[in-house]
Amino acid sequence: MVKILLVEDDYELSDSIKEILIEIGEVTQVYDGELGLFEAESTIYDLLVLDIMLPGKNGFDILSALKQKKSALPVLVVSAKDELPNKIEGFQKGADDYLTKPFYREELLMRVKALLKRSIGLFDDATLQYGEVICNLHANSVSFREEKIPLQGKEFDLLVYFIQNAGTILTKEQIFDRIWGYNSETTLTVVEVYVSHLRKHLKGTDLENKIKTLRHVGYLLQEQSHE
């Protein structure tokens, strides 16, 4: 499931944007800059849709903070500030795209899909691949050398998250927030249980022994070898 962070202080507009984007993925709404930056830095999102005029920190402040931390989170600015200097400032501070209000529904979708395609390969052929392990994001299925691997629900989501972040350390908290969500009633130990199940399913594939446990930290899927 694609996770989109929407930081927009106009409640009505935020709801309208959410209704457009929920056909792509799960949308988390935030209405002020301080919380927006906190959420953006959590690294559990695939895309940030960001207004400029916000209470607390403004959108430019958030962009600068993310750029300083070398965040890889793609950012689409959606703002009523349509003057060229504002757009230039947005790009200079790290925005990947800039859409001015008002906008057409189709244009928002087009720009969001373009950013997701560029960042995580989505909407290309809707597959992720690690060696000969292939995840079909439309069918929620996994195969290895054309043999189906029986992954379902959270196990599938967990594998996709690992492959999307190959070579990046993921803490248990990040994984929990991404897969189960902040409001889940389960506990953090569920991460260990599902990683264990996932490893069993991946025995005999290119992913066997590739998910490393980093004690007291989290997990790391080793980057693919291109030898």
PDB file of all heavy atoms in Angstrom, residues 74-110:
ATOM      1  N   PRO A  74      10.027  12.060  -1.782  1.00  0.00           N
ATOM      2  CA  PRO A  74       9.623  12.981  -2.843  1.00  0.00           C
ATOM      3  C   PRO A  74       8.521  13.925  -2.362  1.00  0.00           C
ATOM      4  O   PRO A  74       7.642  13.518  -1.597  1.00  0.00           O
ATOM      5  CB  PRO A  74       9.120  12.059  -3.960  1.00  0.00           C
ATOM      6  CG  PRO A  74       8.807  10.768  -3.286  1.00  0.00           C
ATOM      7  CD  PRO A  74       9.694  10.663  -2.086  1.00  0.00           C
ATOM      8  N   VAL A  75       8.594  15.181  -2.816  1.00  0.00           N
ATOM      9  CA  VAL A  75       7.664  16.207  -2.333  1.00  0.00           C
ATOM     10  C   VAL A  75       6.970  16.908  -3.498  1.00  0.00           C
ATOM     11  O   VAL A  75       7.628  17.415  -4.416  1.00  0.00           O
ATOM     12  CB  VAL A  75       8.392  17.270  -1.488  1.00  0.00           C
ATOM     13  CG1 VAL A  75       7.384  18.291  -0.957  1.00  0.00           C
ATOM     14  CG2 VAL A  75       9.163  16.631  -0.342  1.00  0.00           C
ATOM     15  N   LEU A  76       5.651  16.919  -3.448  1.00  0.00           N
ATOM     16  CA  LEU A  76       4.846  17.704  -4.380  1.00  0.00           C
ATOM     17  C   LEU A  76       4.269  18.881  -3.613  1.00  0.00           C
ATOM     18  O   LEU A  76       3.467  18.692  -2.697  1.00  0.00           O
ATOM     19  CB  LEU A  76       3.712  16.859  -4.978  1.00  0.00           C
ATOM     20  CG  LEU A  76       2.645  17.629  -5.774  1.00  0.00           C
ATOM     21  CD1 LEU A  76       3.253  18.323  -6.978  1.00  0.00           C
ATOM     22  CD2 LEU A  76       1.504  16.711  -6.192  1.00  0.00           C
ATOM     23  N   VAL A  77       4.689  20.079  -3.976  1.00  0.00           N
ATOM     24  CA  VAL A  77       4.123  21.278  -3.369  1.00  0.00           C
ATOM     25  C   VAL A  77       2.819  21.609  -4.076  1.00  0.00           C
ATOM     26  O   VAL A  77       2.753  21.641  -5.307  1.00  0.00           O
ATOM     27  CB  VAL A  77       5.104  22.465  -3.469  1.00  0.00           C
ATOM     28  CG1 VAL A  77       4.410  23.770  -3.070  1.00  0.00           C
ATOM     29  CG2 VAL A  77       6.318  22.228  -2.579  1.00  0.00           C
ATOM     30  N   VAL A  78       1.769  21.840  -3.295  1.00  0.00           N
ATOM     31  CA  VAL A  78       0.483  22.277  -3.822  1.00  0.00           C
ATOM     32  C   VAL A  78       0.150  23.588  -3.125  1.00  0.00           C
ATOM     33  O   VAL A  78      -0.148  23.601  -1.933  1.00  0.00           O
ATOM     34  CB  VAL A  78      -0.620  21.226  -3.580  1.00  0.00           C
ATOM     35  CG1 VAL A  78      -1.947  21.737  -4.120  1.00  0.00           C
ATOM     36  CG2 VAL A  78      -0.257  19.902  -4.234  1.00  0.00           C
ATOM     37  N   SER A  79       0.222  24.699  -3.860  1.00  0.00           N
ATOM     38  CA  SER A  79       0.127  26.006  -3.202  1.00  0.00           C
ATOM     39  C   SER A  79      -0.587  27.033  -4.071  1.00  0.00           C
ATOM     40  O   SER A  79      -0.554  26.968  -5.298  1.00  0.00           O
ATOM     41  CB  SER A  79       1.543  26.514  -2.880  1.00  0.00           C
ATOM     42  OG  SER A  79       1.511  27.834  -2.370  1.00  0.00           O
ATOM     43  N   ALA A  80      -1.210  27.991  -3.392  1.00  0.00           N
ATOM     44  CA  ALA A  80      -1.831  29.124  -4.089  1.00  0.00           C
ATOM     45  C   ALA A  80      -0.795  30.172  -4.474  1.00  0.00           C
ATOM     46  O   ALA A  80      -1.096  31.089  -5.241  1.00  0.00           O
ATOM     47  CB  ALA A  80      -2.905  29.754  -3.197  1.00  0.00           C
ATOM     48  N   LYS A  81       0.425  30.033  -3.959  1.00  0.00           N
ATOM     49  CA  LYS A  81       1.506  30.972  -4.277  1.00  0.00           C
ATOM     50  C   LYS A  81       2.044  30.614  -5.663  1.00  0.00           C
ATOM     51  O   LYS A  81       2.875  29.724  -5.809  1.00  0.00           O
ATOM     52  CB  LYS A  81       2.611  30.906  -3.223  1.00  0.00           C
ATOM     53  CG  LYS A  81       2.128  31.314  -1.832  1.00  0.00           C
ATOM     54  CD  LYS A  81       3.197  31.133  -0.765  1.00  0.00           C
ATOM     55  CE  LYS A  81       4.277  32.201  -0.856  1.00  0.00           C
ATOM     56  NZ  LYS A  81       3.784  33.532  -0.498  1.00  0.00           N
ATOM     57  N   ASP A  82       1.509  31.295  -6.672  1.00  0.00           N
ATOM     58  CA  ASP A  82       1.791  30.900  -8.051  1.00  0.00           C
ATOM     59  C   ASP A  82       2.819  31.776  -8.759  1.00  0.00           C
ATOM     60  O   ASP A  82       3.086  31.602  -9.949  1.00  0.00           O
ATOM     61  CB  ASP A  82       0.499  30.881  -8.867  1.00  0.00           C
ATOM     62  CG  ASP A  82      -0.197  32.241  -8.887  1.00  0.00           C
ATOM     63  OD1 ASP A  82       0.285  33.167  -8.201  1.00  0.00           O
ATOM     64  OD2 ASP A  82      -1.224  32.354  -9.577  1.00  0.00           O
ATOM     65  N   GLU A  83       3.443  32.734  -8.027  1.00  0.00           N
ATOM     66  CA  GLU A  83       4.441  33.582  -8.667  1.00  0.00           C
ATOM     67  C   GLU A  83       5.723  32.790  -8.910  1.00  0.00           C
ATOM     68  O   GLU A  83       6.085  31.885  -8.147  1.00  0.00           O
ATOM     69  CB  GLU A  83       4.755  34.802  -7.791  1.00  0.00           C
ATOM     70  CG  GLU A  83       3.580  35.758  -7.602  1.00  0.00           C
ATOM     71  CD  GLU A  83       2.646  35.317  -6.496  1.00  0.00           C
ATOM     72  OE1 GLU A  83       2.966  34.308  -5.821  1.00  0.00           O
ATOM     73  OE2 GLU A  83       1.596  35.960  -6.311  1.00  0.00           O
ATOM     74  N   LEU A  84       6.438  33.159  -9.974  1.00  0.00           N
ATOM     75  CA  LEU A  84       7.656  32.439 -10.342  1.00  0.00           C
ATOM     76  C   LEU A  84       8.681  32.390  -9.205  1.00  0.00           C
ATOM     77  O   LEU A  84       9.261  31.325  -8.966  1.00  0.00           O
ATOM     78  CB  LEU A  84       8.282  33.061 -11.596  1.00  0.00           C
ATOM     79  CG  LEU A  84       9.561  32.378 -12.110  1.00  0.00           C
ATOM     80  CD1 LEU A  84       9.302  30.918 -12.433  1.00  0.00           C
ATOM     81  CD2 LEU A  84      10.102  33.120 -13.335  1.00  0.00           C
ATOM     82  N   PRO A  85       8.927  33.494  -8.478  1.00  0.00           N
ATOM     83  CA  PRO A  85       9.904  33.417  -7.380  1.00  0.00           C
ATOM     84  C   PRO A  85       9.538  32.378  -6.323  1.00  0.00           C
ATOM     85  O   PRO A  85      10.421  31.735  -5.753  1.00  0.00           O
ATOM     86  CB  PRO A  85       9.872  34.830  -6.790  1.00  0.00           C
ATOM     87  CG  PRO A  85       9.460  35.702  -7.924  1.00  0.00           C
ATOM     88  CD  PRO A  85       8.459  34.882  -8.681  1.00  0.00           C
ATOM     89  N   ASN A  86       8.227  32.205  -6.057  1.00  0.00           N
ATOM     90  CA  ASN A  86       7.809  31.189  -5.098  1.00  0.00           C
ATOM     91  C   ASN A  86       8.123  29.784  -5.605  1.00  0.00           C
ATOM     92  O   ASN A  86       8.592  28.930  -4.850  1.00  0.00           O
ATOM     93  CB  ASN A  86       6.317  31.303  -4.823  1.00  0.00           C
ATOM     94  CG  ASN A  86       5.917  32.629  -4.194  1.00  0.00           C
ATOM     95  OD1 ASN A  86       4.947  33.267  -4.619  1.00  0.00           O
ATOM     96  ND2 ASN A  86       6.664  33.069  -3.197  1.00  0.00           N
ATOM     97  N   LYS A  87       7.873  29.575  -6.897  1.00  0.00           N
ATOM     98  CA  LYS A  87       8.157  28.256  -7.476  1.00  0.00           C
ATOM     99  C   LYS A  87       9.649  27.974  -7.454  1.00  0.00           C
ATOM    100  O   LYS A  87      10.085  26.867  -7.100  1.00  0.00           O
ATOM    101  CB  LYS A  87       7.622  28.194  -8.911  1.00  0.00           C
ATOM    102  CG  LYS A  87       6.108  28.288  -9.015  1.00  0.00           C
ATOM    103  CD  LYS A  87       5.657  28.221 -10.467  1.00  0.00           C
ATOM    104  CE  LYS A  87       4.146  28.336 -10.591  1.00  0.00           C
ATOM    105  NZ  LYS A  87       3.685  28.280 -11.994  1.00  0.00           N
ATOM    106  N   ILE A  88      10.441  28.973  -7.799  1.00  0.00           N
ATOM    107  CA  ILE A  88      11.891  28.804  -7.796  1.00  0.00           C
ATOM    108  C   ILE A  88      12.386  28.470  -6.391  1.00  0.00           C
ATOM    109  O   ILE A  88      13.210  27.567  -6.197  1.00  0.00           O
ATOM    110  CB  ILE A  88      12.592  30.072  -8.325  1.00  0.00           C
ATOM    111  CG1 ILE A  88      12.296  30.244  -9.827  1.00  0.00           C
ATOM    112  CG2 ILE A  88      14.096  30.010  -8.078  1.00  0.00           C
ATOM    113  CD1 ILE A  88      12.828  31.535 -10.414  1.00  0.00           C
ATOM    114  N   GLU A  89      11.859  29.196  -5.399  1.00  0.00           N
ATOM    115  CA  GLU A  89      12.255  28.934  -4.017  1.00  0.00           C
ATOM    116  C   GLU A  89      11.882  27.521  -3.598  1.00  0.00           C
ATOM    117  O   GLU A  89      12.666  26.833  -2.925  1.00  0.00           O
ATOM    118  CB  GLU A  89      11.609  29.944  -3.071  1.00  0.00           C
ATOM    119  CG  GLU A  89      12.048  29.765  -1.623  1.00  0.00           C
ATOM    120  CD  GLU A  89      11.498  30.820  -0.685  1.00  0.00           C
ATOM    121  OE1 GLU A  89      10.713  31.678  -1.146  1.00  0.00           O
ATOM    122  OE2 GLU A  89      11.850  30.788   0.511  1.00  0.00           O
ATOM    123  N   GLY A  90      10.696  27.085  -4.023  1.00  0.00           N
ATOM    124  CA  GLY A  90      10.272  25.727  -3.689  1.00  0.00           C
ATOM    125  C   GLY A  90      11.220  24.680  -4.241  1.00  0.00           C
ATOM    126  O   GLY A  90      11.641  23.766  -3.524  1.00  0.00           O
ATOM    127  N   PHE A  91      11.593  24.822  -5.500  1.00  0.00           N
ATOM    128  CA  PHE A  91      12.513  23.854  -6.117  1.00  0.00           C
ATOM    129  C   PHE A  91      13.901  23.937  -5.497  1.00  0.00           C
ATOM    130  O   PHE A  91      14.562  22.922  -5.280  1.00  0.00           O
ATOM    131  CB  PHE A  91      12.580  24.068  -7.619  1.00  0.00           C
ATOM    132  CG  PHE A  91      11.373  23.545  -8.361  1.00  0.00           C
ATOM    133  CD1 PHE A  91      10.514  24.401  -9.032  1.00  0.00           C
ATOM    134  CD2 PHE A  91      11.095  22.184  -8.385  1.00  0.00           C
ATOM    135  CE1 PHE A  91       9.404  23.928  -9.706  1.00  0.00           C
ATOM    136  CE2 PHE A  91       9.978  21.692  -9.060  1.00  0.00           C
ATOM    137  CZ  PHE A  91       9.136  22.561  -9.721  1.00  0.00           C
ATOM    138  N   GLN A  92      14.351  25.156  -5.211  1.00  0.00           N
ATOM    139  CA  GLN A  92      15.672  25.318  -4.604  1.00  0.00           C
ATOM    140  C   GLN A  92      15.745  24.678  -3.224  1.00  0.00           C
ATOM    141  O   GLN A  92      16.798  24.186  -2.811  1.00  0.00           O
ATOM    142  CB  GLN A  92      16.043  26.798  -4.517  1.00  0.00           C
ATOM    143  CG  GLN A  92      16.383  27.434  -5.860  1.00  0.00           C
ATOM    144  CD  GLN A  92      16.669  28.921  -5.748  1.00  0.00           C
ATOM    145  OE1 GLN A  92      16.198  29.598  -4.821  1.00  0.00           O
ATOM    146  NE2 GLN A  92      17.431  29.448  -6.694  1.00  0.00           N
ATOM    147  N   LYS A  93      14.624  24.677  -2.512  1.00  0.00           N
ATOM    148  CA  LYS A  93      14.601  24.113  -1.162  1.00  0.00           C
ATOM    149  C   LYS A  93      14.336  22.611  -1.161  1.00  0.00           C
ATOM    150  O   LYS A  93      14.315  21.978  -0.093  1.00  0.00           O
ATOM    151  CB  LYS A  93      13.569  24.844  -0.307  1.00  0.00           C
ATOM    152  CG  LYS A  93      13.974  26.273   0.038  1.00  0.00           C
ATOM    153  CD  LYS A  93      12.976  26.945   0.961  1.00  0.00           C
ATOM    154  CE  LYS A  93      13.373  28.375   1.271  1.00  0.00           C
ATOM    155  NZ  LYS A  93      14.635  28.467   2.009  1.00  0.00           N
ATOM    156  N   GLY A  94      14.113  22.030  -2.345  1.00  0.00           N
ATOM    157  CA  GLY A  94      14.019  20.577  -2.415  1.00  0.00           C
ATOM    158  C   GLY A  94      12.742  19.977  -2.943  1.00  0.00           C
ATOM    159  O   GLY A  94      12.599  18.750  -2.969  1.00  0.00           O
ATOM    160  N   ALA A  95      11.778  20.803  -3.380  1.00  0.00           N
ATOM    161  CA  ALA A  95      10.545  20.242  -3.945  1.00  0.00           C
ATOM    162  C   ALA A  95      10.857  19.496  -5.242  1.00  0.00           C
ATOM    163  O   ALA A  95      11.729  19.905  -6.014  1.00  0.00           O
ATOM    164  CB  ALA A  95       9.529  21.345  -4.208  1.00  0.00           C
ATOM    165  N   ASP A  96      10.146  18.402  -5.479  1.00  0.00           N
ATOM    166  CA  ASP A  96      10.314  17.648  -6.719  1.00  0.00           C
ATOM    167  C   ASP A  96       9.349  18.122  -7.796  1.00  0.00           C
ATOM    168  O   ASP A  96       9.603  17.938  -8.983  1.00  0.00           O
ATOM    169  CB  ASP A  96      10.095  16.155  -6.452  1.00  0.00           C
ATOM    170  CG  ASP A  96      11.142  15.581  -5.515  1.00  0.00           C
ATOM    171  OD1 ASP A  96      12.213  15.207  -5.999  1.00  0.00           O
ATOM    172  OD2 ASP A  96      10.877  15.531  -4.301  1.00  0.00           O
ATOM    173  N   ASP A  97       8.237  18.715  -7.380  1.00  0.00           N
ATOM    174  CA  ASP A  97       7.258  19.252  -8.330  1.00  0.00           C
ATOM    175  C   ASP A  97       6.452  20.329  -7.606  1.00  0.00           C
ATOM    176  O   ASP A  97       6.399  20.362  -6.378  1.00  0.00           O
ATOM    177  CB  ASP A  97       6.343  18.143  -8.847  1.00  0.00           C
ATOM    178  CG  ASP A  97       5.655  18.507 -10.151  1.00  0.00           C
ATOM    179  OD1 ASP A  97       5.811  19.666 -10.613  1.00  0.00           O
ATOM    180  OD2 ASP A  97       4.955  17.646 -10.709  1.00  0.00           O
ATOM    181  N   TYR A  98       5.816  21.182  -8.385  1.00  0.00           N
ATOM    182  CA  TYR A  98       5.093  22.323  -7.809  1.00  0.00           C
ATOM    183  C   TYR A  98       3.803  22.503  -8.593  1.00  0.00           C
ATOM    184  O   TYR A  98       3.823  22.752  -9.797  1.00  0.00           O
ATOM    185  CB  TYR A  98       5.970  23.582  -7.919  1.00  0.00           C
ATOM    186  CG  TYR A  98       5.561  24.750  -7.047  1.00  0.00           C
ATOM    187  CD1 TYR A  98       6.357  25.170  -5.997  1.00  0.00           C
ATOM    188  CD2 TYR A  98       4.378  25.463  -7.289  1.00  0.00           C
ATOM    189  CE1 TYR A  98       6.015  26.266  -5.193  1.00  0.00           C
ATOM    190  CE2 TYR A  98       4.009  26.538  -6.495  1.00  0.00           C
ATOM    191  CZ  TYR A  98       4.835  26.938  -5.462  1.00  0.00           C
ATOM    192  OH  TYR A  98       4.485  28.025  -4.682  1.00  0.00           O
ATOM    193  N   LEU A  99       2.673  22.352  -7.915  1.00  0.00           N
ATOM    194  CA  LEU A  99       1.355  22.466  -8.539  1.00  0.00           C
ATOM    195  C   LEU A  99       0.608  23.622  -7.886  1.00  0.00           C
ATOM    196  O   LEU A  99       0.510  23.687  -6.656  1.00  0.00           O
ATOM    197  CB  LEU A  99       0.572  21.168  -8.345  1.00  0.00           C
ATOM    198  CG  LEU A  99      -0.856  21.109  -8.892  1.00  0.00           C
ATOM    199  CD1 LEU A  99      -0.873  21.292 -10.411  1.00  0.00           C
ATOM    200  CD2 LEU A  99      -1.502  19.772  -8.513  1.00  0.00           C
ATOM    201  N   THR A 100       0.106  24.542  -8.704  1.00  0.00           N
ATOM    202  CA  THR A 100      -0.580  25.710  -8.145  1.00  0.00           C
ATOM    203  C   THR A 100      -2.090  25.473  -8.031  1.00  0.00           C
ATOM    204  O   THR A 100      -2.691  24.773  -8.844  1.00  0.00           O
ATOM    205  CB  THR A 100      -0.325  26.963  -9.001  1.00  0.00           C
ATOM    206  OG1 THR A 100      -0.746  26.719 -10.350  1.00  0.00           O
ATOM    207  CG2 THR A 100       1.149  27.324  -9.004  1.00  0.00           C
ATOM    208  N   LYS A 101      -2.674  26.065  -6.994  1.00  0.00           N
ATOM    209  CA  LYS A 101      -4.119  26.021  -6.782  1.00  0.00           C
ATOM    210  C   LYS A 101      -4.766  27.173  -7.554  1.00  0.00           C
ATOM    211  O   LYS A 101      -4.176  28.249  -7.636  1.00  0.00           O
ATOM    212  CB  LYS A 101      -4.442  26.178  -5.294  1.00  0.00           C
ATOM    213  CG  LYS A 101      -3.776  25.185  -4.364  1.00  0.00           C
ATOM    214  CD  LYS A 101      -4.045  25.586  -2.908  1.00  0.00           C
ATOM    215  CE  LYS A 101      -3.324  24.695  -1.928  1.00  0.00           C
ATOM    216  NZ  LYS A 101      -3.490  25.134  -0.531  1.00  0.00           N
ATOM    217  N   PRO A 102      -5.977  26.965  -8.068  1.00  0.00           N
ATOM    218  CA  PRO A 102      -6.712  25.695  -8.123  1.00  0.00           C
ATOM    219  C   PRO A 102      -6.123  24.781  -9.197  1.00  0.00           C
ATOM    220  O   PRO A 102      -5.443  25.238 -10.107  1.00  0.00           O
ATOM    221  CB  PRO A 102      -8.129  26.131  -8.474  1.00  0.00           C
ATOM    222  CG  PRO A 102      -7.938  27.377  -9.282  1.00  0.00           C
ATOM    223  CD  PRO A 102      -6.747  28.069  -8.693  1.00  0.00           C
ATOM    224  N   PHE A 103      -6.428  23.514  -9.112  1.00  0.00           N
ATOM    225  CA  PHE A 103      -5.869  22.549 -10.053  1.00  0.00           C
ATOM    226  C   PHE A 103      -6.955  21.556 -10.449  1.00  0.00           C
ATOM    227  O   PHE A 103      -7.987  21.425  -9.782  1.00  0.00           O
ATOM    228  CB  PHE A 103      -4.685  21.802  -9.429  1.00  0.00           C
ATOM    229  CG  PHE A 103      -4.997  21.204  -8.086  1.00  0.00           C
ATOM    230  CD1 PHE A 103      -5.643  19.980  -7.975  1.00  0.00           C
ATOM    231  CD2 PHE A 103      -4.661  21.879  -6.924  1.00  0.00           C
ATOM    232  CE1 PHE A 103      -5.953  19.441  -6.740  1.00  0.00           C
ATOM    233  CE2 PHE A 103      -4.963  21.351  -5.677  1.00  0.00           C
ATOM    234  CZ  PHE A 103      -5.612  20.130  -5.580  1.00  0.00           C
ATOM    235  N   TYR A 104      -6.704  20.863 -11.548  1.00  0.00           N
ATOM    236  CA  TYR A 104      -7.627  19.827 -11.996  1.00  0.00           C
ATOM    237  C   TYR A 104      -7.286  18.500 -11.318  1.00  0.00           C
ATOM    238  O   TYR A 104      -6.105  18.191 -11.075  1.00  0.00           O
ATOM    239  CB  TYR A 104      -7.549  19.652 -13.513  1.00  0.00           C
ATOM    240  CG  TYR A 104      -8.121  20.811 -14.286  1.00  0.00           C
ATOM    241  CD1 TYR A 104      -7.281  21.749 -14.893  1.00  0.00           C
ATOM    242  CD2 TYR A 104      -9.499  20.975 -14.419  1.00  0.00           C
ATOM    243  CE1 TYR A 104      -7.796  22.820 -15.607  1.00  0.00           C
ATOM    244  CE2 TYR A 104     -10.028  22.039 -15.129  1.00  0.00           C
ATOM    245  CZ  TYR A 104      -9.178  22.958 -15.709  1.00  0.00           C
ATOM    246  OH  TYR A 104      -9.690  24.022 -16.406  1.00  0.00           O
ATOM    247  N   ARG A 105      -8.304  17.732 -11.023  1.00  0.00           N
ATOM    248  CA  ARG A 105      -8.131  16.422 -10.398  1.00  0.00           C
ATOM    249  C   ARG A 105      -7.145  15.570 -11.193  1.00  0.00           C
ATOM    250  O   ARG A 105      -6.244  14.944 -10.632  1.00  0.00           O
ATOM    251  CB  ARG A 105      -9.488  15.720 -10.310  1.00  0.00           C
ATOM    252  CG  ARG A 105      -9.445  14.292  -9.792  1.00  0.00           C
ATOM    253  CD  ARG A 105     -10.831  13.672  -9.810  1.00  0.00           C
ATOM    254  NE  ARG A 105     -10.822  12.322  -9.276  1.00  0.00           N
ATOM    255  CZ  ARG A 105     -10.466  11.248  -9.972  1.00  0.00           C
ATOM    256  NH1 ARG A 105     -10.117  11.382 -11.246  1.00  0.00           N
ATOM    257  NH2 ARG A 105     -10.476  10.043  -9.403  1.00  0.00           N
ATOM    258  N   GLU A 106      -7.309  15.548 -12.503  1.00  0.00           N
ATOM    259  CA  GLU A 106      -6.472  14.714 -13.359  1.00  0.00           C
ATOM    260  C   GLU A 106      -5.014  15.141 -13.300  1.00  0.00           C
ATOM    261  O   GLU A 106      -4.106  14.302 -13.371  1.00  0.00           O
ATOM    262  CB  GLU A 106      -6.967  14.766 -14.809  1.00  0.00           C
ATOM    263  CG  GLU A 106      -8.322  14.114 -15.043  1.00  0.00           C
ATOM    264  CD  GLU A 106      -9.495  14.965 -14.563  1.00  0.00           C
ATOM    265  OE1 GLU A 106      -9.273  16.155 -14.227  1.00  0.00           O
ATOM    266  OE2 GLU A 106     -10.622  14.439 -14.503  1.00  0.00           O
ATOM    267  N   GLU A 107      -4.773  16.458 -13.176  1.00  0.00           N
ATOM    268  CA  GLU A 107      -3.396  16.925 -13.130  1.00  0.00           C
ATOM    269  C   GLU A 107      -2.724  16.511 -11.817  1.00  0.00           C
ATOM    270  O   GLU A 107      -1.557  16.107 -11.806  1.00  0.00           O
ATOM    271  CB  GLU A 107      -3.329  18.444 -13.277  1.00  0.00           C
ATOM    272  CG  GLU A 107      -1.895  18.969 -13.345  1.00  0.00           C
ATOM    273  CD  GLU A 107      -1.811  20.456 -13.573  1.00  0.00           C
ATOM    274  OE1 GLU A 107      -2.845  21.153 -13.473  1.00  0.00           O
ATOM    275  OE2 GLU A 107      -0.684  20.930 -13.850  1.00  0.00           O
ATOM    276  N   LEU A 108      -3.449  16.586 -10.718  1.00  0.00           N
ATOM    277  CA  LEU A 108      -2.894  16.151  -9.439  1.00  0.00           C
ATOM    278  C   LEU A 108      -2.530  14.673  -9.502  1.00  0.00           C
ATOM    279  O   LEU A 108      -1.426  14.275  -9.103  1.00  0.00           O
ATOM    280  CB  LEU A 108      -3.903  16.396  -8.314  1.00  0.00           C
ATOM    281  CG  LEU A 108      -3.502  15.876  -6.928  1.00  0.00           C
ATOM    282  CD1 LEU A 108      -2.241  16.562  -6.432  1.00  0.00           C
ATOM    283  CD2 LEU A 108      -4.644  16.064  -5.934  1.00  0.00           C
ATOM    284  N   LEU A 109      -3.433  13.857 -10.009  1.00  0.00           N
ATOM    285  CA  LEU A 109      -3.165  12.425 -10.118  1.00  0.00           C
ATOM    286  C   LEU A 109      -1.962  12.155 -11.017  1.00  0.00           C
ATOM    287  O   LEU A 109      -1.110  11.314 -10.701  1.00  0.00           O
ATOM    288  CB  LEU A 109      -4.396  11.692 -10.660  1.00  0.00           C
ATOM    289  CG  LEU A 109      -5.552  11.492  -9.684  1.00  0.00           C
ATOM    290  CD1 LEU A 109      -6.773  10.943 -10.413  1.00  0.00           C
ATOM    291  CD2 LEU A 109      -5.141  10.561  -8.551  1.00  0.00           C
ATOM    292  N   MET A 110      -1.882  12.857 -12.129  1.00  0.00           N
ATOM    293  CA  MET A 110      -0.787  12.662 -13.073  1.00  0.00           C
ATOM    294  C   MET A 110       0.557  12.970 -12.422  1.00  0.00           C
ATOM    295  O   MET A 110       1.523  12.214 -12.546  1.00  0.00           O
ATOM    296  CB  MET A 110      -0.984  13.553 -14.297  1.00  0.00           C
ATOM    297  CG  MET A 110       0.148  13.460 -15.322  1.00  0.00           C
ATOM    298  SD  MET A 110      -0.033  14.698 -16.621  1.00  0.00           S
ATOM    299  CE  MET A 110       0.295  16.208 -15.686  1.00  0.00           C
TER     300      MET A 110
END
